[in-house]
Amino acid sequence: MIHGARIYHSRGILLFATLCLGVGTLSESVSLRTGFPFGHYIFTDLMGPKLFGLPILLALAYVGMGYLSWVLGLVILNCQNEPLSGRKVVLLPLAASVVMTTWDLSMDPVWAGIDHAWVWRDGGSFYGVPISNFFGWFLTVYIFYQLFALYLGNRVSIPSPISHWRLAILFYAASAAGNLLVVAPLSLGAVFADAAGKRWLISDILWASRLVSIFLMMPLSLIAWVKAARAAEPSRNRVPLAIPSE
């Protein structure tokens, strides 16, 4: 929140958090009852307290990872330190949605198949996770990103140095690196059977997460890290105003 307030002021980042929580919670709640847009699933007690069947921790994850993914999309498209306008009003939400969905691609099979934080009623083709889940994630985050982009239209953000952008990028990269360290308890055995009865090797689930992290999340982080240097260009190229002498 503090990081975002330095870019969008308190009002802007509070609106962002409200959109993340509101749209994310609504989407999850609807899916828990109807199966749309993610699919049919239930949460276990692993993630702690729930509100309307949705773990509070997951709702907060929409804000945290949602913001980091937004920053990566912002920097990759060179939208930092300038008003959001033109086609970037649509391209930025799409790019941020890809970044956020990539994160979910890396962690959903692990949290569902190994940690058992939630259970997919019908299993799924991606290590026990249905493909609909990833379409659901993309749709959900795109909606709140697009709403925020429309709010930002032609608004001037607070210019920020390279280090400010790279801090958020570093946190996203750290999430990718963390996936490489995940191990399964020996008590789980070698195989996970989803709700449909299909058996998956736990080692394959872990390697799928690691490969997504290495070949998708880390390259996205690297691209954003390099492009963050452009955040300094406006300040370097800015012509100082002449102050008339008395």
Side-chain angles (χ1 to χ4, degrees):
M1 294 291 286
I2 296 175
H3 189 280
R6 290 186 59 185
I7 304 171
Y8 299 118
H9 303 281
S10 298
R11 180 179 177 180
I13 197 60
L14 283 173
L15 175 63
F16 180 85
T18 300
L19 289 172
C20 290
L21 288 171
V23 175
T25 299
L26 176 62
S27 187
E28 294 276 356
S29 297
V30 170
S31 195
L32 284 169
R33 291 158 179 78
T34 67
F36 177 83
F38 302 104
H40 291 281
Y41 58 99
I42 58 171
F43 289 103
T44 65
D45 295 329
L46 181 69
M47 299 184 73
K50 302 173 187 174
L51 186 62
F52 304 113
L54 177 66
I56 296 174
L57 182 62
L58 180 62
L60 295 177
Y62 272 104
V63 179
M65 287 306 301
Y67 175 72
L68 297 180
S69 300
W70 172 265
V71 171
L72 261 74
L74 192 75
V75 175
I76 288 173
L77 292 181
N78 299 322
C79 298
Q80 67 271 37
N81 294 339
E82 65 180 35
L84 190 61
S85 60
R87 62 180 183 176
K88 288 185 178 180
V89 173
V90 175
L91 290 178
L92 176 53
L94 289 173
S97 298
V98 170
V99 177
M100 180 76 163
T101 305
T102 299
W103 168 73
D104 182 64
L105 188 68
S106 76
M107 52 76 66
D108 210 294
V110 174
W111 278 78
I114 295 176
D115 296 326
H116 304 301
W118 50 84
V119 178
W120 293 100
R121 189 191 70 180
D122 305 312
S125 58
F126 187 70
Y127 301 98
V129 179
I131 299 301
S132 61
N133 170 68
F134 304 111
F135 285 108
W137 267 89
F138 187 90
L139 174 63
T140 298
V141 300
Y142 171 76
I143 290 173
F144 61 67
Y145 284 147
Q146 187 61 73
L147 291 173
F148 188 60
L150 291 173
Y151 162 78
L152 290 178
N154 294 317
R155 281 183 167 84
V156 178
S157 59
I158 303 173
S160 301
I162 298 175
S163 58
H164 188 70
W165 301 107
R166 283 182 169 173
L167 180 61
I169 296 166
L170 189 61
F171 272 94
Y172 185 87
S175 176
N179 289 334
L180 306 182
L181 304 177
V182 175
V183 295
L186 294 177
S187 58
L188 290 180
V191 176
F192 158 69
D194 63 26
K198 184 162 184 175
R199 296 162 67 85
W200 306 91
L201 289 176
I202 288 180
S203 60
D204 287 349
I205 295 175
L206 291 174
W207 272 108
S209 174
R210 293 164 185 163
L211 290 173
V212 171
S213 300
I214 293 171
F215 293 107
L216 292 177
M217 291 183 71
M218 287 185 175
L220 287 171
S221 301
L222 181 60
I223 292 170
W225 184 271
V226 173
K227 285 202 166 189
R230 299 197 177 199
E233 290 181 3
S235 59
R236 289 202 300 264
N237 297 333
R238 189 179 295 121
V239 178
L241 295 176
I243 302 176
S245 57
E246 293 291 339

